[in-house]
Amino acid sequence: MESLPARTSTRLDSFVDRYAARTSGMTASEIRALFAVASRPEVVSLAGGMPNISGLPLDVVGHAIGDLVAEHGTVALQYGSGQGVPFLREQITDVMRLEGIEAHPDDVVVTVGSQQAVDLVTRIFCDPGDVVICEAPSYVGALGVFRAYQADVVHAEMDAHGLVPEALEQAIAGCRRAGRRIKFLYTIPNFHNPAGVTLSAERRTRILEICRREGVLVLEDNPYGLLGFDGEPNRAMRADDPDNVIYLGSFSKTFAPGFRVGWALCPPAVREKMVLAQESATLCPPQFSQMAVSAYLANHDWQGQIKQFREMYRERRDATIQGLEDLMPEGCSWNVPDGGFYVWLTLPQGVDAKAMLPRAVTARVAYVPGTAFFADGFGSQSMRLSFCYPTPERIREGVRRLAGVVEAELELRTMFGATSAPRGVSSGYDNPSVDLS
C-alpha cells in the first residue's frame, strides 16, 4: 500500500517565524485601513487629516520648482547633508520665532516629515520596555512608532485645557513605583490631534516644571501651531525650556505634505545622535524637497498663505460645529477647537464608534473611531472628525449622514435593550473631558 504524502501547511507569509520580535508591534492603523473606502467619491470622509492645498498658488510653486531645476539642478538633485540644507535650517529658525523660539540653525535637523523625527527620537532614546508618557488620546502615528520600538505607552488624562498636570504626576509616580524607566513625555500642545484641544499657558509652565523636576524629557510635536483661528500663535514650550524640550515642526500643514519636509530642534548633544540616526536611515533627507521648500519661503508670502489657510479651516470648523449642533441627537458632545483640523466627538453612553463604523461607511460617511488613539483599547465611545479637506457643504452632508447612523444605533438600543457598555467607558480618560462639550 502506497503511503500518503506528508501534509504541508500553507502559510500566507512564509517568513513569519523569521521576523524580528519588534515587528509584532507593526500593525496597520485604523486610519490607514479606512483610506481605500474613504477615498471613494460617494463617501464623505471626515476621517483622514489631509491638508487642503487647493488654495496654494500652484503656478508660483511650479515656476519656483522650474527655476530651481534650471538654475540649481545639479545641486538639488544630488546627495546632501544628513542634517539638512543650511539655508533652509536658517529659514526654519525664522518660522519658529513666530512661536517665541530663539534657536541656532546648527541645532535644527531636517527630517522626512515630522513623523520621521518621532521615529528618530524614539530610536535613540528607547529600549524595549521603556516608557513613553502620552496624552489620552494621542496621535496614532506616534503610537505606532512607540509600539514598533517596543516601548510601552502610559497614558495621562486630558481635559478641555489639555494635559492635566496632576495626571502627569500620577503617571510618573506610578512608573517609578513599578521600577520602570520613563524616557520622555510626548505631547501635542496646540490644536491636538485627535482631541482638538490646546494646552493652556498656565499648564505649560507646570508641565515643564514637573518634567524638569522628575528628569523627564519633553517631546513637543507641533505641526498645527501656526493654524490657530484667532490671535497670535501660542508660545512654544521649547521657548521656555530649551535644555529639556525637543521641538518637532513640519511644512506638511502650512505648505504641502507632498514634499515631506519636517524638522527637529534639539539640544546639541541630542542633535548629534539625531544626525547619526538620520544618516543610518536615509543617508540624507531629500535635497530637492528641501530646496523647493526653501525657494517657496524665500520668494512667496508664506505668512500670508498661512493666513489664507487659517481662514479656510476656520470656515470648515464652523460648518462642522454648526452641523453637529443642528443635527446630532441628544447625548452627543464635542469640543470646539480654536485651530487645527479636528473635532473630538463623544457618543451617548453605550454606543460603540468602532462597531458602528461599517454601518457609517454603508451610509457613505467615514470617521476614525477613538480606539485608534489609545494604546490600551479605550476610546470606543468617541471618534475623531476631520474638517480640513471637505468643502463646508460636504461637511454638513457628512454630519447629516453620521447623525442618521447614530440615531439608528440609539433606536436599536431602545428596541432591543442596552448592550454592555463599550470597553473603557469607566477608565477616567476614555473621553478627554466632559468639559469638551
Side-chain angles (χ1 to χ4, degrees):
M1 182 176 178
E2 295 184 10
S3 61
L4 295 174
R7 294 183 63 184
T8 58
S9 61
T10 301
R11 286 183 173 178
L12 294 177
D13 184 352
S14 60
F15 299 97
V16 68
D17 54 359
R18 308 186 206 179
Y19 294 126
R22 74 179 68 91
T23 62
S24 62
M26 296 179 180
T27 56
S29 74
E30 295 178 38
I31 296 177
R32 178 183 170 193
L34 279 169
F35 274 150
V37 172
S39 60
R40 297 175 185 170
E42 70 272 17
V43 175
V44 178
S45 177
L46 303 175
M50 292 190 301
N52 194 318
I53 60 174
S54 62
L56 273 179
L58 295 182
D59 55 339
V60 173
V61 176
H63 288 143
I65 291 175
D67 291 343
L68 174 62
V69 173
E71 298 172 13
H72 306 286
T74 56
V75 176
L77 300 175
Q78 187 55 271
Y79 289 121
S81 162
Q83 189 171 351
V85 172
F87 185 56
L88 176 61
R89 289 190 274 116
E90 291 181 19
Q91 292 169 305
I92 286 171
T93 63
D94 294 333
V95 174
M96 293 188 294
R97 195 169 289 116
L98 298 176
E99 296 172 307
I101 296 174
E102 295 296 333
H104 195 280
D106 285 352
D107 293 328
V108 175
V109 179
V110 179
T111 57
V112 185
S114 61
Q115 178 70 18
Q116 191 203 26
V118 175
D119 185 282
L120 296 179
V121 171
T122 309
R123 180 188 302 191
I124 66 176
F125 277 100
C126 290
D127 291 314
D130 286 344
V131 170
V132 177
I133 298 178
C134 297
E135 294 139 337
S138 191
Y139 168 50
V140 63
L143 295 179
V145 170
F146 305 146
R147 187 164 52 242
Y149 283 102
Q150 299 173 286
D152 294 331
V153 170
V154 172
H155 282 300
E157 184 179 2
M158 300 176 70
D159 63 16
H161 306 288
L163 177 62
V164 178
E166 293 78 10
L168 173 61
E169 289 180 310
Q170 292 169 9
I172 294 172
C175 290
R176 295 276 161 78
R177 284 195 300 271
R180 308 184 72 188
R181 295 194 305 174
I182 303 169
K183 287 304 178 72
F184 54 83
L185 163 68
Y186 174 78
T187 180
I188 305 172
N190 297 311
F191 323 125
H192 188 274
N193 178 6
V197 301
T198 296
L199 185 63
S200 68
E202 185 271 336
R203 285 193 180 178
R204 292 175 193 234
T205 300
R206 290 181 61 193
I207 287 168
L208 288 173
E209 290 173 348
I210 292 168
C211 288
R212 278 197 302 269
R213 183 184 72 225
E214 298 293 338
V216 174
L217 178 70
V218 177
L219 183 58
E220 178 183 12
D221 195 359
N222 190 36
Y224 310 98
L226 298 182
L227 294 176
F229 301 147
D230 302 293
E232 296 299 315
N234 294 301
R235 184 174 175 84
M237 299 173 76
R238 173 60 171 71
D240 293 319
D241 195 349
D243 295 327
N244 197 49
V245 177
I246 297 175
Y247 174 98
L248 307 185
S250 174
F251 291 108
S252 292
K253 310 304 188 293
T254 56
F255 179 25
F259 288 108
R260 305 306 302 131
V261 176
W263 71 89
L265 175 64
C266 312
V270 176
R271 177 201 65 211
E272 294 302 317
K273 292 289 192 298
M274 287 283 286
V275 173
L276 292 173
Q278 167 75 281
E279 290 174 344
S280 71
T282 64
L283 189 62
C284 60
Q287 183 106 325
F288 180 81
S289 293
Q290 295 177 74
M291 293 181 70
V293 172
S294 179
Y296 170 79
L297 295 175
N299 300 307
H300 184 64
D301 179 15
W302 58 272
Q303 293 193 52
Q305 186 66 54
I306 289 174
K307 181 179 180 182
Q308 292 182 35
F309 283 146
R310 291 169 58 188
E311 293 169 354
M312 177 179 63
Y313 293 137
R314 182 195 293 115
E315 181 184 25
R316 284 159 167 74
R317 185 276 312 266
D318 292 345
T320 304
I321 299 303
Q322 190 62 57
L324 293 172
E325 291 177 350
D326 293 344
L327 301 169
M328 274 292 160
E330 185 177 353
C332 296
S333 61
W334 53 87
N335 63 311
V336 181
D338 52 5
F341 287 3
Y342 306 110
V343 169
W344 185 255
L345 172 67
T346 299
L347 298 169
Q349 183 77 14
V351 179
D352 188 325
K354 186 173 183 179
M356 189 178 75
L357 182 58
R359 294 182 282 280
V361 171
T362 300
R364 296 171 298 153
V365 62
Y367 58 83
V368 184
T371 50
F373 306 101
F374 291 82
D376 48 14
F378 290 102
S380 57
Q381 194 180 332
S382 299
M383 65 177 68
R384 188 192 75 178
L385 303 180
S386 174
F387 54 79
C388 52
Y389 192 76
T391 64
E393 294 75 22
R394 289 280 285 173
I395 288 172
R396 186 171 180 87
E397 174 59 20
V399 172
R400 185 191 68 78
R401 296 176 187 179
L402 179 60
V405 175
V406 176
E407 287 172 350
E409 291 291 303
L410 294 172
E411 289 174 5
L412 286 172
R413 285 175 53 78
T414 300
M415 186 179 303
F416 295 106
T419 58
S420 59
R423 181 184 177 195
V425 167
S426 63
S427 70
Y429 61 66
D430 184 68
N431 313 317
S433 172
V434 295
D435 294 333
L436 289 175
S437 60

